Amino acid sequence: MKILVPVKRVVDFNVKVRVKADQSGVELANVKMSMNPFDEISVEEALKLKEAGKATEVIVVSAGVTACQETLRTALAMGADRAILVETDVELQPLAVAKLLKAVATKEGAGLVILGKQAIDDDANQTGQMLAALLDWPQATFASKVEIAEGSAKVTREIDGGLETVEVKLPAVITTDLRLNTPRYATLPNIMKAKKKPLETIKPDALGVDVAPRLKTLKVAEPGKRKAGVMVKDVSELVDKLKNEAKVI
Amino acid sequence: MTALVIAEHDKSHLRGGTANAITAAAKMGGEVHVLVAGSGSKAAADDAAKHAGVAKVLHVDSAVYDAGGAENFAALVVPMAKGYSHIVASATAFGKNVMPRVAALLDVAQVSEISAVVSADTFVRPIYAGNAFATVQSSDAIKVVTVRATGFDAAVAGGSASIESMPAAPDKGQSKVLSQELTRSTRPELAGARRIVSGGRGLASGENFKMLDALADKLGAAIGASRAAVDSGYCPNDYQVGQTGKIVAPELYVAIGISGAIQHLAGMKDSKVIVAINKDPEAPIFQVADYGLVGDLFQIVPELTQQL
Ligand SMILES: Cc1cc2nc3c(=O)[nH]c(=O)nc-3n(C[C@H](O)[C@H](O)[C@H](O)COP(=O)(O)OP(=O)(O)OC[C@H]3O[C@@H](n4cnc5c(N)ncnc54)[C@H](O)[C@@H]3O)c2cc1C
Ligand SMILES: Nc1ncnc2c1ncn2[C@@H]1O[C@H](COP(=O)(O)O)[C@@H](O)[C@H]1O
């Protein structure tokens, strides 16, 4: 079984983004970019499945600008076998990405696609579910445990009330949550080796996908600021403030 | 123009922010219908019909929808969608799972976790962990929208909508729920709680984390946590507050032994009053706190519990 792992290049999770003065977007110049943290978890899970003999090949795919190659190289250095860049300068929204991924998954004959549950830039949490819909495959979202059996997968999901275990028929789409695993680091020798692994570039046109955005961003604004608070010296003062000033207890 | 709200319910009542989604849907400009699906869910349909602003409830009494699986829900909603301008649900684990599947099958975008409605086609939503708010306009014929419950008041009682029964769609049989391990608690539900006591890595163990119980009991509060506390196994996963956990906005949020990472703040900085208890005076949580107390939580928490 081939596993396809979509990885997105996003602003690093440690960066606090700033809104541009003209409100056209957030400042991305000279900002550190990394692989979406959930996608590192997806890569790790795919590699573990391959190591356990449940998969034959791990293919990573990223859609976006040329620089996404760096993200793909990171995934190759973690251990993925080969990479595909769907290259475009167009701003990609989840529906367009899902269509591109459907084309790639079909072309490659993937038996499982593992995505992150959410990209930490757009916070959309859509692409995996959309891909599953377009392929008419079952979906197991927000996974914290994955077991692959013959023709099916048993997935434990993080839901609002706790945990839920579902069984989905393969082929399927899985999206990863934080507690699924701890991603490995790429070692220096593996980073060197990754440079020689195959990285193919294709254009959306070649996949027959129209990637035009459906949502237009009219403006991007700063969140409202909280007014500065006060420090209290002890518990008595805190209780007094909560009772008599804030009146919340 | 009519909006269809996909309800979450426990067979007898709407839950999971559905009442807030009804308010958001009403702001989109047209009538509001609510879909209640699941076996033995007549009481929930009745409850939906009583919410102010609801014109019609569509009720599907079928076990196919009991587990809330996205495959079957999408197959039910998509054929109905042509009659609607908006399909709306609360941005809960259920809504996040189902709605993008609906959107893709309709070949439309989804607008995720809106915090405000500007007009029928324009919405405000947080991006980058709430460090920016984007105003987005949809050009699609049907708008699929999930709603951040904290951005909208819950619709109140006062309606008397008609209830129409609808047949179920065939079971797609792609997925089945084997088991659920739900956190049992007599405390208020975290997402809608008026008061929350939240613990972080500073609690240092699952055993210590339990000291929050007594404080929460005194306050009638729900208990939340940082990712670090959940990852370390101090408490269940559904306690996580933040960018990738639950979004809360209680009247009182008490952050204990939590540093205040961007991802945590994303989930709680709309709380009305924030209290931070931390031994590090430089902890970023103090920048959003209304009342900060620097000190050892192992002394402060028992003292606070006692003084309340
Ligand atoms: C993709 C991604 C998603 C994430 N999503 C979330 C999310 O949804 N929610 C979330 O919370 N985090 C999330 N995180 C993690 C986040 O970045 C932080 O790592 C996490 O919030 C830290 O938790 P913490 O504050 O409990 O731990 P720490 O940052 O370790 O802070 C512990 C605090 O406790 C204080 N302390 C220690 N001992 C005591 C004591 N005895 N008395 C008083 N104070 C004490 C310390 O001074 C410190 O400030 C995410 C991270 C990533 C990469
Ligand atoms: N441009 C992209 N290239 C590759 N994968 C992507 C891209 N956008 C989204 N994804 C995948 O979809 C997941 C969810 O993203 P989103 O729906 O945008 O929150 C990510 O974690 C990735 O696995």
Side-chain angles (χ1 to χ4, degrees), chain B residues 200-201 226-227 240-242 244 257 259 263-264 278-279 296-297:
Chain B
R201 202 194 314 263
S226 70
R227 173 190 174 182
Q240 184 180 314
V241 170
T244 61
S259 62
Q263 292 83 9
H264 188 77
N278 197 303
K279 70 175 180 192
D296 182 4
L297 71 90

Side-chain angles (χ1 to χ4, degrees), chain B:
Chain B
M1 250 187 359
T2 308
L4 178 66
V5 176
I6 317 299
E8 240 179 299
H9 60 85
D10 58 10
K11 291 186 195 280
S12 32
H13 293 97
L14 297 188
R15 42 158 305 190
T18 304
N20 310 69
I22 290 172
T23 301
K27 291 191 174 176
M28 293 170 196
E31 240 178 48
V32 178
H33 295 180
V34 179
L35 172 68
V36 176
S39 68
S41 57
K42 180 65 174 52
D46 290 340
D47 183 42
K50 281 185 210 126
H51 282 72
V54 178
K56 193 201 280 185
V57 175
L58 300 160
H59 180 220
V60 183
D61 194 332
S62 164
V64 171
Y65 308 104
D66 285 0
E71 299 84 355
N72 281 324
F73 257 98
L76 175 67
V77 173
V78 168
M80 303 169 63
K82 277 183 287 295
Y84 291 97
S85 55
H86 299 79
I87 316 275
V88 183
S90 182
T92 55
F94 167 80
K96 289 172 177 171
N97 190 36
V98 172
M99 297 296 271
R101 193 163 179 120
V102 170
L105 292 174
L106 295 171
D107 192 28
V108 302
Q110 173 179 294
V111 189
S112 291
E113 273 202 272
I114 62 160
S115 56
V117 176
V118 178
S119 70
D121 66 0
T122 305
F123 311 93
V124 180
R125 59 174 304 264
I127 52 175
Y128 291 94
N131 286 306
F133 280 78
T135 304
V136 296
Q137 185 174 37
S138 164
S139 58
D140 288 318
I142 303 173
K143 278 88 182 159
V144 173
V145 178
T146 64
V147 172
R148 180 169 276 201
T150 54
F152 302 88
D153 293 332
V156 291
S160 56
S162 60
I163 301 179
E164 201 173 285
S165 283
M166 267 186 41
D171 187 348
K172 292 200 47 126
Q174 290 177 309
S175 150
K176 65 168 187 265
V177 173
L178 302 178
S179 61
Q180 284 189 333
E181 215 180 290
L182 301 181
T183 306
R184 260 171 252 279
S185 165
T186 51
R187 296 205 175 78
E189 214 183 312
L190 180 57
R194 286 179 50 233
R195 293 172 182 170
I196 294 172
V197 170
S198 202
R201 202 194 314 263
L203 269 301
S205 76
E207 202 46 52
N208 293 337
F209 197 88
K210 291 198 189 101
M211 72 192 278
L212 301 184
D213 288 352
L215 179 58
D217 286 345
K218 274 274 174 80
L219 287 167
I223 299 185
S226 70
R227 173 190 174 182
V230 177
D231 283 7
S232 311
Y234 304 169
C235 60
N237 61 280
D238 51 304
Y239 282 28
Q240 184 180 314
V241 170
Q243 179 187 17
T244 61
K246 292 201 172 111
I247 308 295
V248 300
E251 281 169 26
L252 176 64
Y253 188 91
V254 188
I256 301 171
I258 292 177
S259 62
I262 300 171
Q263 292 83 9
H264 188 77
L265 300 184
M268 44 65 76
K269 70 179 174 201
D270 288 334
S271 304
K272 193 162 155 258
V273 173
I274 297 173
V275 172
I277 298 168
N278 197 303
K279 70 175 180 192
D280 172 11
E282 303 298 325
I285 189 75
F286 288 122
Q287 289 163 23
V288 300
D290 299 280
Y291 302 107
L293 180 50
V294 177
D296 182 4
L297 71 90
F298 294 106
Q299 277 165 14
I300 294 171
V301 173
E303 206 181 318
L304 179 60
T305 308
Q306 201 231 322
Q307 286 198 27
L308 286 171

